[in-house]
Every structure is written in structure tokens, then in C-alpha cells.
Amino acid sequence: MKITHKIVENHGLRNDEFENIKKLLKREPNLLELGIFSAMWNEHCSYKSSRYHLKKLPTKGKQVIQGPGENAGVIDIGDDDAIVFKIESHNHPSYIEPYQGASTGVGGILRDVFTMGARPIALLNSIHFGSPDHPKTKSLLNGVVSGIGGYGNCIGIPTVAGETKFNETYNENILVNAMAVGHAKKNKIFYSKAKGINKSVVYVGSKTGRDGIHGASMASAEFDENSEEKKPTVQVGDPFTEKLLLEACLELMKDNSIISIQDMGAAGLTSSSVEMASKGDLGIELELDKVPCREENMTPYEMMLSESQERMLIILEDGKEKHAEEIFKKWDLDFVVIGKTTNTNKLTLKYKNKVEGEIPLDTLSSKAPVYDRKWVKKKLTKSKIDTEKLKNIKIEDALIKILSSANHSNKSWITNQYDQMVMCDTAQRSGSDAAIIRIHNKEKAIAVSVDSSSNYCNAHPLTGGKQIVCENWRNLISVGAKPLAITNCLNFGNPEDSKIMGEFAECLIGIKEACEFLNYPVVSGNVSFYNGTNKKNISPTPVIGGVGLIQKLNKPISHQFKKDKSIVIVIGKTFGHLEQSVLFEEVYSIVDGHPPEINLTNEKNNGENVLEIIKKDLVNSVHDISNGGLIVALAEMSMGSNYGVKINKPKNLTNLFKYFFGEDQGRYVLEVDKNNLEKVEKILKNNNIFYENIGFTQKDYFEIQKELKIDIKELYKINNQWYNNY
């Protein structure tokens, strides 16, 4: 077949990239080879537009065993225990086919984790939808939530935390980011790097079908009016088969049979074979007529580019084939030796004893294009926020408006569809600042959380990047965990647009600065570009997933008030920042101005002191102050319990809206027993931490002196009414 410009374009490659391929090969590729280049050179696999910036992120630390570059990141939590985790996007597939897109997103991220030798112990997600009144939102929401729950519940991994947000920027391009966390022993971590010549390359798992062909390429292109035609590129998942695959892999990992292992994710057999061989500086030869297929007459092209789910590629030690086969056959899974490692440094593809493709591996990996794309800084516009508007509304009415909105309403109607307690190690589930998972049969536990803030990032990407890291840091601190490391999923529009590339570059600078200052390295992640439809890009939406360690879990710390007549303390200074605030967005539909300043010194000092107070068992509850400000944080603490609060009028800020709704960063609310107050104040004073005693807890009512008094039950009802009316 003659390769035309149209064929090249349909494979997501530019003409200059095609010319480069011909130079590297010193000939024109055939269709199979072109498909392989298309898969390996797209954004999803090559990170060609992001790699230049990603390499600037801090990725090392005493706690880091494995940083970016493998299937997942690995951190040390002591006692020979390791935590393996990663977050990835499945945005485009989920928009086209919500249930299967979300479902296979969960399946794929789970394979990334257990491929490393870890048993998955928790799932999280960050999902973003368009405006609630958009005609597609309801069906997309239902499909995605059902897909996440369907896969996680069936495979038996608890979905313990996440976030669901609505904004018109996602009307034609939703975001579905899935995170998985696993537990392994430090001396039993498995990697994808191939070693040795003439080693057996083994295909295990499900059979290969035609689903998902060009899935990776599709994820690296914008949508248009023909997006429905891309449904065949969406993979179809089977959680029951994945459960069998998980158990079979973990069983084989108990001995010394495996040299390397790689999940067949994006780009399927292509990416798994290329990555394993290129990392090991070896070649690999595959006999494609041996690939188990569930459909008749599949071509080498289809086999190499299929993204059928629940499949692995394994390189075995000599003589281990029979032993490994027995394990996989026991679990009723395919096990076929389909190739071998070579010393050629080439990907050689045979079909019926004929070489159908042969490509030097460095052309697919180290020689893949890397672009330092032009980018421009975000220009700050003058704020149109007019605080005079606040004279026309009462504090109570503003609070009710926020708590009854789509973004700030109770999301338990979503989380209740997920099994959060399976495996019996969930100590604290969704609804708190972070979920807590016990390490099985140990005193210690980990805390996990995911966070994003597209408004802040859209207004000023650098500040927004810092803020997300700090928000995630605070969420872990609030449950008594020492933050250890993060994974990120960077969702942006078209990188060929210098403004979009500027958003990406500046967000990365912000993430870098915060991670470095907080000693909070990035150990894994994913970049999702081309999120947009018909040239309309989404707002920049980087998502941060964080993991922290609780050395000894006595009692989980949550955000709900626990007792009557406890003292309520605010850590951190309140200046009353209302630009980009929830108050103006929900009450006046105004999203404008600069995000709140991020003082990293204050973030670190405040957080470390709150953590010390928690460790000394001096607090009943803790909650970080974020979107919506102090009043929303206090309302959330009240609604989750039988206790409300009575708050005194502030002494410092005369504008009550600024005080209660301001979104100044680095702040926490602490509930402290009277008999512990002196001890807490001593710690704060000794470390020069600003704090305010703002009131006390009480039964039944949420109250601000002379401003409002609402029954907690009524507050809870208000917070639940959005879903009931939707």
C-alpha cells in the first residue's frame, strides 16, 4: 500500500514527522510500521510536547524508590513496606462511551500498579463534567460513575476518595482521571526493563480483539463534530478477567521467574514490547500468528495496535515457562510464548514466517520527537470584582446558595455507588479531607487525596499550580498524615497553541516550586493534551494525587465536630481574598481576578505544627480551609456531626464577607478540648504560628454572632437538595 499524506494525517502524524521517519528508516515505512510510529510518537506515549518541561519536576527524595519512567511510582513507608501509585486520564474514551471509557480507565490504572508487584488497596478519581444544565451532562455523569463503580466493585478494590466538579469548560470534553494505590514489599518490586538474550516473551491474559485500535492516537487529538465515529477506538473492559490476571501475576511474582513485566495499555502490544526492549537496550522479535485473538482474520496491524484490556507481556527466566504456564492456566487465562529477546536493537514482527515489519527501537523511543513549543505567559486582567455588591445579600443567603450548588453539594449520592469498605482496611472513607487505608495487619496507615483547581490555574497558572500541591498537602496533614509524594494528571488543551502551552509551562513551574519547598516529590503521572472540541480548549486542570503516612493509627482524625463546648481555633491569617472566590462564582456568576497568594513558608510551618498537634492527640477534629473560605469549612464540620458552632464576630476584619468567605491559603480549623487549649497554644506560640480563637462548638445550631443561626439538620437538608432536584 502506498502511504499517502491522507493516511499519514489519519494516523495523527504531521508531514514533517513522516519525513523524519523516512530518514530514520532510510526508506518509506509500510502501513504496519507507520501504525507503530503513530502509536509511539503520539502525545500519550511519547510526551513529545511535555517532556521538556516534565524533566524539571523534583522526582527524588529519601522516600522515593522509583520515580517517573515506570508503570507507577514507588515510595518507602518503612518496615520493608512500599506504596505503589499513579494517576492517569481516560478523558476522550469516557466522553465517547462513558461507561466503558471510565471502566477501562480504572482497569488500566490498576494494571499499572499490580504490574509493579503491588496488591492494589485503593482507588480514587477526579471527574469533571460540563454545566449541569448542558444536555449531555446527566448521561455522561451517570455513565462515568456507573463505569467507575462497576469496575472497582467487581474487581474488589475500594474506591475511597475523589472529587466531582461541574463547569461549562468541560461541556464538550469531560475529564475522567483514575488513581490507584497498591502495597508491596520493597524487595519485590518488578520493572519493565528487559534483560538477557533469547529470553521468552510471553503473552498472558485476555485474547486480542479489534477494540481500542488507535485509542492512544485518538487520545492525542481534539474532538470535532465527528467524535461519535471514534467509538470503535474505545476499549471494552472485563473486571472479572482482570481479577484473575491480578491474582495470577501476583502468584507468579512470589518466586524468581519474571525478568520484566509490562501491562498492554495505551498502544497495546506495540508500546509494551517497545518499552521493555528499549529500556533494556535489546531487540525483540514477535511471531504475531501466535497472538491469541478473539476475532477472525486479524491482521498484524490490528494485533499490534489493539488496546484490548486485561493483557500483559512478560519476559521470563530460562526454564520457567512451564511453571508460569501452569499458574496462568489455573486462573483460566491465555499463556503463549509469542517471541524472544534479541541483540538486534530492533522490533522485528513476523507473521506466518514472513517479516512484516522491522524498526530500530531507538527510532521509537530515544529518537522520538521532543518539542520545546513556543509559549506565552498568562496576562492578568484587571479584576471586575466589586465588593459593593455584597451589601445586597445576607451572609446566610450566600452560604445557602453555595451549599445548595452543584459543586458544593453533598456528593454521597456518587460515593455510595462505590464499594468503599471491601478488603476491610478502609479506616476513613470519602467525605473527609483524605481517605485513610490501614496497611494490612500493621499499626500504620496511609492517607490519600486528589485535588484540582481549574479556576485558579486559569486565572494565573503559576499560582494555581502551587495552590493545588498545597491544597493536597493540607488535606493529608488534616488527617494526621505526613505527606510523602504525589502523582499528577495534567489535563490541558492543544499544546500547539502558545497560550495553552503557556498555561502548561507555568502550572509546571508552580507545581515544581511547591513540591521542592515542601519536600513532596513527583513520582509518577500523566499528561493529557488536546482536551477540547472544535478549537475550544478546556481550562487548565492539573490534578494532584497525594500519599501520606500515619505511623501509628490510633483513631482516625476527621473533619466532623466531635464534642459540645470545644474551642474552635483557626490556624493561619485571614486577609479576606475574594477574587476567584466561590462566593462571587455561585452568588453572582463572576469568576474574575487573581487567585489568592501562596506563601510556601506559611504553608509548611502551619502544616507541620498542625501535624505535631494531631500526633500529640490534642485535637478532636481538623479541617483545612479551601474553596468557599472559613464559613464553608465550618459548615462542613457541622453537617457531618450532631454539633454545630457559635462563632464570634472577627476583631480584625470589619468586612464579614471577606472574613468568612475569603479564600486565603494555608489555613486550618481545629476543634480543641478546653483542657488541651493551653498545650495547643503553647506549641503555636513557640513556633510563631498565627492563630485565632473564634468560638466554640454547640449542639444543634450553626451560628455566627448576630448574623445567622441555622439548625444543623436544615443545613444538611440544604446541602443535599441539589441532587434531589437534578
Side-chain angles (χ1 to χ4, degrees), residues 576-592:
H577 188 97
L578 289 178
E579 294 178 21
Q580 293 294 330
S581 68
V582 167
L583 173 67
F584 272 90
E585 181 178 17
E586 297 295 351
V587 177
Y588 297 103
S589 300
I590 296 173
V591 180
D592 197 29

Side-chain angles (χ1 to χ4, degrees), residues 591-605:
V591 180
D592 197 29
H594 194 285
E597 178 189 352
I598 306 296
N599 185 316
L600 292 172
T601 300
N602 286 346
E603 286 282 359
K604 189 174 185 179
N605 291 343

